[in-house]
Amino acid sequence: MPKESDDLSTLGELGESAVLGRIFPRLPAASAQLLGPGDDAAVVAAADGRFVVTTDLMVHGPDFRLAWSLPHDLGWKAAASNLSDVAAMGAVPTALVVAIAAPADSPISLLEGIADGFRDACGALAPGCGIVGGDLSVSDTLTIAVTAFGDLAGRPPVLRSGARPGDVVAVSGALGEAAAGLRVLFAEALDANGAPDAVLASLVRDRTTAQLTPSPPIADGPLAASAGATSMVDLSDGLAIDASRVARASGVRIDFDRGALGADPDLALGGGEDHSLLATFPPGARLPGGFRPIGTVVAPADDEGNVSVILLDGKPYTVSGWDPYTGWKDSGVAGGSAG
Amino acid sequence: MPKESDDLSTLGELGESAVLGRIFPRLPAASAQLLGPGDDAAVVAAADGRFVVTTDLMVHGPDFRLAWSLPHDLGWKAAASNLSDVAAMGAVPTALVVAIAAPADSPISLLEGIADGFRDACGALAPGCGIVGGDLSVSDTLTIAVTAFGDLAGRPPVLRSGARPGDVVAVSGALGEAAAGLRVLFAEALDANGAPDAVLASLVRDRTTAQLTPSPPIADGPLAASAGATSMVDLSDGLAIDASRVARASGVRIDFDRGALGADPDLALGGGEDHSLLATFPPGARLPGGFRPIGTVVAPADDEGNVSVILLDGKPYTVSGWDPYTGWKDSGVAGGSAG
């Protein structure tokens, strides 16, 4: 864990200029940066005349709790989850811009830790990717807004809509481990009043890594594209939900092999936030990187009605899961049931 | 004003999927869009192999009040302020991504209004620019995160650091009008308890347009670049503060002509949020678009110490202004004083 400052000064005491002076030196540089922070805007290289872009908000409450996540965790996860969206297009992440709104009485160490988390996640998961710009603001609710960019290197983007019957369904990365980590936090890191507790969370740290600091296989995104992946998606809302998006966009169904989903197939299918990569490959394709087969793409049902597009060992699997507006008071562990 | 829906359904009642279904059709399309919303990421054209990028958070409380701003105003202003940062590099705005976190009990009309504001601002200020992606989340604090992109069309970006002694200092757009509008709101649109009041705000609507829905001269940014501007900046924190950034980055001083600053030079120098464009041009250059001369770039002082880099009619002008961490409880009308 990198050393954060012991300085207890608050953002409000230091002021924007001093805060920026403390944060800038910690940020990772981007190889694609042509002009970095300090002007009205940055300039980033887009060698093939296009860029991939994705944006995401992490909000205190629904997305994380400060009692459970260290500042370094927050930066790491914000980076990892956005890098994964870029990778899921088959692109190499090139740069991020990051805007943070924090309470004025936050200690400077909060922003230093977040910055270090971004630096370490970029270094570990997407070397060469860095932060080219950002914004600091004040809010009662700690909020981290990340926009991430990627380079397709001349390849077409890998869409959700390209899966074809007969394709192999494969995944790279964990299934259900982030949700299992969240279950541990809800089961073992709430105080007597039901509030998240930092000391209890520290005791279960080794079982919550996949939730707090996921390490998605970013390099496998471009590898999948080069290997001819017909569709790809980042697993943010859970395998069953995200696969159903691929199935609907492609006009197919996806049949998962229960034996390939580990000890707890319902957790693997329902758990969100792994940020693993789900891709489909033509039959017989050699799976690149860390991809392993977990199912098959099958033709759509004759009945176009309200039929499940997700199967488990050939039987319809009912998908349920996360909704940011209706579901945020839940534990985030989406449920599913074989039916 | 565009018609918002009378539907009182909340975001939480509708759920993410239905909310997206209501918002997507209202969003403006971008000419540069190669792949739009609906996949893990979007793909945007960057014809000259680079793109300009800027990001900004608008947070309820420090940046706006729902009692004073209509939803349409919020979308408009979020678009306008980011388009202006792109224009200040000399770039043509091409696309935005927008992430919004709102309380789950917000009516759908809030997001519809914000979307319409983005659409109308893009259409009015930067035709061809549109929204290519976004994110919806839940937060106790309404937060709008915008990242904007621009195309330099082969030109170098216009930086803050290029002003040279002898250059003409020129501005396009209003000076102090946004701050004057905020003064009106604080003076005439607070209720008996000092809280922002919607009915009172509606009575002063005609005097608060520059604050609530600024119309910066976006097209003048690329025009200035083509005309040989040596430096340029977006006036977000006030003329004196933003000009001092140009002066420090360029190693020069800027001498404003009091007679060119209107009836209230202190308001013109101190008021923020106009999002007008301040640029410097070589002596004798023909000023393009709406640019008008308001001062001259002069050589740095012999004494490199703590000297004001901003002059008014040749005399040092003391700069003070907005800081998001220390200043957000103030009215936002930054003060300055001739000294």
Side-chain angles (χ1 to χ4, degrees), chain A residues 211-230:
Chain A
Q211 166 59 219
L212 299 178
T213 55
S215 290
I218 304 303
D220 278 359
L223 282 181
S226 296
T230 53

PDB file of all heavy atoms in Angstrom, chain A residues 211-230:
ATOM      1  N   GLN A 211     -13.661  -7.346  -4.448  1.00  0.00           N
ATOM      2  CA  GLN A 211     -14.675  -6.288  -4.386  1.00  0.00           C
ATOM      3  C   GLN A 211     -14.038  -4.909  -4.334  1.00  0.00           C
ATOM      4  O   GLN A 211     -14.439  -3.999  -5.043  1.00  0.00           O
ATOM      5  CB  GLN A 211     -15.562  -6.494  -3.144  1.00  0.00           C
ATOM      6  CG  GLN A 211     -16.446  -5.311  -2.750  1.00  0.00           C
ATOM      7  CD  GLN A 211     -17.413  -4.863  -3.833  1.00  0.00           C
ATOM      8  OE1 GLN A 211     -17.645  -3.675  -4.028  1.00  0.00           O
ATOM      9  NE2 GLN A 211     -17.997  -5.821  -4.553  1.00  0.00           N
ATOM     10  N   LEU A 212     -13.033  -4.731  -3.477  1.00  0.00           N
ATOM     11  CA  LEU A 212     -12.500  -3.387  -3.226  1.00  0.00           C
ATOM     12  C   LEU A 212     -11.463  -2.965  -4.264  1.00  0.00           C
ATOM     13  O   LEU A 212     -11.382  -1.795  -4.613  1.00  0.00           O
ATOM     14  CB  LEU A 212     -11.900  -3.321  -1.822  1.00  0.00           C
ATOM     15  CG  LEU A 212     -12.898  -3.597  -0.682  1.00  0.00           C
ATOM     16  CD1 LEU A 212     -12.181  -3.560   0.664  1.00  0.00           C
ATOM     17  CD2 LEU A 212     -14.046  -2.594  -0.701  1.00  0.00           C
ATOM     18  N   THR A 213     -10.658  -3.918  -4.732  1.00  0.00           N
ATOM     19  CA  THR A 213      -9.620  -3.581  -5.725  1.00  0.00           C
ATOM     20  C   THR A 213      -9.564  -4.668  -6.804  1.00  0.00           C
ATOM     21  O   THR A 213      -8.613  -5.436  -6.889  1.00  0.00           O
ATOM     22  CB  THR A 213      -8.223  -3.456  -5.065  1.00  0.00           C
ATOM     23  OG1 THR A 213      -7.932  -4.681  -4.357  1.00  0.00           O
ATOM     24  CG2 THR A 213      -8.166  -2.302  -4.098  1.00  0.00           C
ATOM     25  N   PRO A 214     -10.605  -4.704  -7.649  1.00  0.00           N
ATOM     26  CA  PRO A 214     -10.636  -5.714  -8.705  1.00  0.00           C
ATOM     27  C   PRO A 214      -9.484  -5.516  -9.698  1.00  0.00           C
ATOM     28  O   PRO A 214      -9.057  -4.390  -9.935  1.00  0.00           O
ATOM     29  CB  PRO A 214     -11.987  -5.462  -9.387  1.00  0.00           C
ATOM     30  CG  PRO A 214     -12.299  -4.028  -9.102  1.00  0.00           C
ATOM     31  CD  PRO A 214     -11.732  -3.752  -7.739  1.00  0.00           C
ATOM     32  N   SER A 215      -9.008  -6.626 -10.240  1.00  0.00           N
ATOM     33  CA  SER A 215      -7.926  -6.571 -11.234  1.00  0.00           C
ATOM     34  C   SER A 215      -8.376  -7.227 -12.531  1.00  0.00           C
ATOM     35  O   SER A 215      -7.970  -8.345 -12.854  1.00  0.00           O
ATOM     36  CB  SER A 215      -6.677  -7.280 -10.695  1.00  0.00           C
ATOM     37  OG  SER A 215      -6.104  -6.534  -9.646  1.00  0.00           O
ATOM     38  N   PRO A 216      -9.219  -6.533 -13.287  1.00  0.00           N
ATOM     39  CA  PRO A 216      -9.713  -7.129 -14.532  1.00  0.00           C
ATOM     40  C   PRO A 216      -8.585  -7.300 -15.546  1.00  0.00           C
ATOM     41  O   PRO A 216      -7.602  -6.566 -15.518  1.00  0.00           O
ATOM     42  CB  PRO A 216     -10.757  -6.119 -15.014  1.00  0.00           C
ATOM     43  CG  PRO A 216     -10.465  -4.849 -14.303  1.00  0.00           C
ATOM     44  CD  PRO A 216      -9.800  -5.211 -13.024  1.00  0.00           C
ATOM     45  N   PRO A 217      -8.753  -8.272 -16.431  1.00  0.00           N
ATOM     46  CA  PRO A 217      -7.703  -8.618 -17.407  1.00  0.00           C
ATOM     47  C   PRO A 217      -7.727  -7.674 -18.606  1.00  0.00           C
ATOM     48  O   PRO A 217      -8.133  -8.063 -19.706  1.00  0.00           O
ATOM     49  CB  PRO A 217      -8.079 -10.043 -17.798  1.00  0.00           C
ATOM     50  CG  PRO A 217      -9.575 -10.048 -17.720  1.00  0.00           C
ATOM     51  CD  PRO A 217      -9.932  -9.129 -16.573  1.00  0.00           C
ATOM     52  N   ILE A 218      -7.290  -6.431 -18.398  1.00  0.00           N
ATOM     53  CA  ILE A 218      -7.425  -5.390 -19.425  1.00  0.00           C
ATOM     54  C   ILE A 218      -6.749  -5.785 -20.746  1.00  0.00           C
ATOM     55  O   ILE A 218      -7.307  -5.584 -21.826  1.00  0.00           O
ATOM     56  CB  ILE A 218      -6.839  -4.060 -18.895  1.00  0.00           C
ATOM     57  CG1 ILE A 218      -7.524  -3.665 -17.575  1.00  0.00           C
ATOM     58  CG2 ILE A 218      -6.979  -2.959 -19.938  1.00  0.00           C
ATOM     59  CD1 ILE A 218      -9.010  -3.535 -17.646  1.00  0.00           C
ATOM     60  N   ALA A 219      -5.556  -6.358 -20.652  1.00  0.00           N
ATOM     61  CA  ALA A 219      -4.821  -6.682 -21.887  1.00  0.00           C
ATOM     62  C   ALA A 219      -5.537  -7.731 -22.719  1.00  0.00           C
ATOM     63  O   ALA A 219      -5.291  -7.848 -23.927  1.00  0.00           O
ATOM     64  CB  ALA A 219      -3.409  -7.148 -21.536  1.00  0.00           C
ATOM     65  N   ASP A 220      -6.418  -8.507 -22.081  1.00  0.00           N
ATOM     66  CA  ASP A 220      -7.136  -9.547 -22.832  1.00  0.00           C
ATOM     67  C   ASP A 220      -8.201  -8.971 -23.769  1.00  0.00           C
ATOM     68  O   ASP A 220      -8.681  -9.687 -24.654  1.00  0.00           O
ATOM     69  CB  ASP A 220      -7.781 -10.556 -21.860  1.00  0.00           C
ATOM     70  CG  ASP A 220      -6.763 -11.602 -21.389  1.00  0.00           C
ATOM     71  OD1 ASP A 220      -5.591 -11.537 -21.830  1.00  0.00           O
ATOM     72  OD2 ASP A 220      -7.135 -12.466 -20.581  1.00  0.00           O
ATOM     73  N   GLY A 221      -8.586  -7.708 -23.580  1.00  0.00           N
ATOM     74  CA  GLY A 221      -9.563  -7.092 -24.487  1.00  0.00           C
ATOM     75  C   GLY A 221      -9.016  -6.964 -25.898  1.00  0.00           C
ATOM     76  O   GLY A 221      -9.589  -7.531 -26.856  1.00  0.00           O
ATOM     77  N   PRO A 222      -7.897  -6.250 -26.071  1.00  0.00           N
ATOM     78  CA  PRO A 222      -7.290  -6.184 -27.408  1.00  0.00           C
ATOM     79  C   PRO A 222      -6.880  -7.563 -27.940  1.00  0.00           C
ATOM     80  O   PRO A 222      -7.007  -7.820 -29.143  1.00  0.00           O
ATOM     81  CB  PRO A 222      -6.057  -5.303 -27.187  1.00  0.00           C
ATOM     82  CG  PRO A 222      -6.372  -4.495 -25.964  1.00  0.00           C
ATOM     83  CD  PRO A 222      -7.265  -5.347 -25.118  1.00  0.00           C
ATOM     84  N   LEU A 223      -6.427  -8.453 -27.054  1.00  0.00           N
ATOM     85  CA  LEU A 223      -6.072  -9.809 -27.508  1.00  0.00           C
ATOM     86  C   LEU A 223      -7.289 -10.512 -28.099  1.00  0.00           C
ATOM     87  O   LEU A 223      -7.195 -11.187 -29.133  1.00  0.00           O
ATOM     88  CB  LEU A 223      -5.535 -10.645 -26.336  1.00  0.00           C
ATOM     89  CG  LEU A 223      -4.090 -10.404 -25.897  1.00  0.00           C
ATOM     90  CD1 LEU A 223      -3.731 -11.347 -24.748  1.00  0.00           C
ATOM     91  CD2 LEU A 223      -3.127 -10.588 -27.070  1.00  0.00           C
ATOM     92  N   ALA A 224      -8.443 -10.369 -27.444  1.00  0.00           N
ATOM     93  CA  ALA A 224      -9.670 -10.995 -27.949  1.00  0.00           C
ATOM     94  C   ALA A 224     -10.040 -10.425 -29.310  1.00  0.00           C
ATOM     95  O   ALA A 224     -10.444 -11.157 -30.222  1.00  0.00           O
ATOM     96  CB  ALA A 224     -10.809 -10.794 -26.951  1.00  0.00           C
ATOM     97  N   ALA A 225      -9.899  -9.095 -29.449  1.00  0.00           N
ATOM     98  CA  ALA A 225     -10.222  -8.475 -30.740  1.00  0.00           C
ATOM     99  C   ALA A 225      -9.325  -9.042 -31.839  1.00  0.00           C
ATOM    100  O   ALA A 225      -9.800  -9.393 -32.924  1.00  0.00           O
ATOM    101  CB  ALA A 225     -10.052  -6.949 -30.634  1.00  0.00           C
ATOM    102  N   SER A 226      -8.033  -9.135 -31.542  1.00  0.00           N
ATOM    103  CA  SER A 226      -7.092  -9.660 -32.548  1.00  0.00           C
ATOM    104  C   SER A 226      -7.378 -11.119 -32.867  1.00  0.00           C
ATOM    105  O   SER A 226      -7.117 -11.582 -33.986  1.00  0.00           O
ATOM    106  CB  SER A 226      -5.650  -9.520 -32.043  1.00  0.00           C
ATOM    107  OG  SER A 226      -5.315  -8.154 -31.898  1.00  0.00           O
ATOM    108  N   ALA A 227      -7.910 -11.859 -31.884  1.00  0.00           N
ATOM    109  CA  ALA A 227      -8.193 -13.282 -32.080  1.00  0.00           C
ATOM    110  C   ALA A 227      -9.535 -13.510 -32.768  1.00  0.00           C
ATOM    111  O   ALA A 227      -9.946 -14.655 -32.946  1.00  0.00           O
ATOM    112  CB  ALA A 227      -8.161 -14.012 -30.736  1.00  0.00           C
ATOM    113  N   GLY A 228     -10.237 -12.422 -33.118  1.00  0.00           N
ATOM    114  CA  GLY A 228     -11.475 -12.569 -33.884  1.00  0.00           C
ATOM    115  C   GLY A 228     -12.735 -12.660 -33.057  1.00  0.00           C
ATOM    116  O   GLY A 228     -13.758 -13.164 -33.531  1.00  0.00           O
ATOM    117  N   ALA A 229     -12.703 -12.152 -31.820  1.00  0.00           N
ATOM    118  CA  ALA A 229     -13.920 -12.166 -31.002  1.00  0.00           C
ATOM    119  C   ALA A 229     -15.074 -11.548 -31.780  1.00  0.00           C
ATOM    120  O   ALA A 229     -14.919 -10.501 -32.414  1.00  0.00           O
ATOM    121  CB  ALA A 229     -13.688 -11.388 -29.703  1.00  0.00           C
ATOM    122  N   THR A 230     -16.237 -12.190 -31.723  1.00  0.00           N
ATOM    123  CA  THR A 230     -17.398 -11.684 -32.457  1.00  0.00           C
ATOM    124  C   THR A 230     -18.239 -10.722 -31.619  1.00  0.00           C
ATOM    125  O   THR A 230     -18.993  -9.917 -32.154  1.00  0.00           O
ATOM    126  CB  THR A 230     -18.282 -12.861 -32.915  1.00  0.00           C
ATOM    127  OG1 THR A 230     -18.594 -13.681 -31.768  1.00  0.00           O
ATOM    128  CG2 THR A 230     -17.554 -13.710 -33.951  1.00  0.00           C
TER     129      THR A 230
END
